[in-house]
């Protein structure tokens, strides 16, 4: 069983982040808030730790999975809060350092 980190999402949906136990933390978020308008955040106050290796992001359509991944990869600037990679603030990393630290793959599995 993997521990789960939870965050508040619009319309009371839940986004589950499956974390591997006992693995060194690679990526950390503190009070992360993101959305496409200031009045309607997709998620807010996310405190999570992601291990090195593979992490699964699960949730219904519109829950904020892609928005979270784009924020973690530096493609979207957070509305509030911070993202850290190996303890360094994301905005302090060069694109080269970021590319050496993160691999992102979006996969859709149809039923």
């Amino acid at each position: 069983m993997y521990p789960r980190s939870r965050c508040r999402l619009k319309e009371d949906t839940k986004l589950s982040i499956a974390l591997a136990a006992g693995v060194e933390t690679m990526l950390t978020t503190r009070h992360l808030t993101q959305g496409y308008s200031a009045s309607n955040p997709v998620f807010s106050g996310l405190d999570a730790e992601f291990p090195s290796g593979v992490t699964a992001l699960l949730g219904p359509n519109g829950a904020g999975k892609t928005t979270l991944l784009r924020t973690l990869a530096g493609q979207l600037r957070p509305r509030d809060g911070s993202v850290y990679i190996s303890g360094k603030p994301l905005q302090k990393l060069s694109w080269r350092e970021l590319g050496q630290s993160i691999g992102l793959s979006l996969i859709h599995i149809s039923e």
Side-chain angles (χ1 to χ4, degrees):
M1 187 70 181
Y2 296 108
R4 297 203 190 284
S5 181
R6 298 237 185 242
C7 63
R8 293 181 307 239
L9 299 166
K10 64 181 181 178
E11 301 172 11
D12 297 323
T13 59
K14 296 292 183 199
L15 177 67
S16 295
I17 305 167
L19 304 176
V23 179
E24 179 184 344
T25 299
M26 165 75 172
L27 194 142
T28 305
T29 67
R30 293 291 173 247
H31 312 293
L32 190 64
T33 297
Q34 185 58 277
Y36 297 98
S37 72
S39 63
N40 190 21
V42 176
F43 54 84
S44 63
L46 175 63
D47 289 323
E49 294 180 347
F50 299 85
S52 297
V54 177
T55 298
L57 217 58
L58 305 172
N61 290 345
K65 300 177 299 292
T66 302
T67 300
L68 176 59
L69 288 174
R70 291 183 67 204
T71 304
L72 297 177
Q75 295 177 349
L76 292 174
R77 175 173 272 150
R79 290 208 169 265
D80 193 23
S82 302
V83 176
Y84 300 91
I85 296 178
S86 297
K88 291 177 75 175
L90 180 68
Q91 67 271 17
K92 301 276 185 186
L93 297 175
S94 69
W95 283 109
R96 181 181 184 136
E97 290 173 306
L98 185 60
Q100 292 171 341
S101 301
I102 289 183
L104 176 63
S105 180
L106 302 176
I107 300 171
H108 173 75
I109 301 173
S110 60
E111 294 180 34

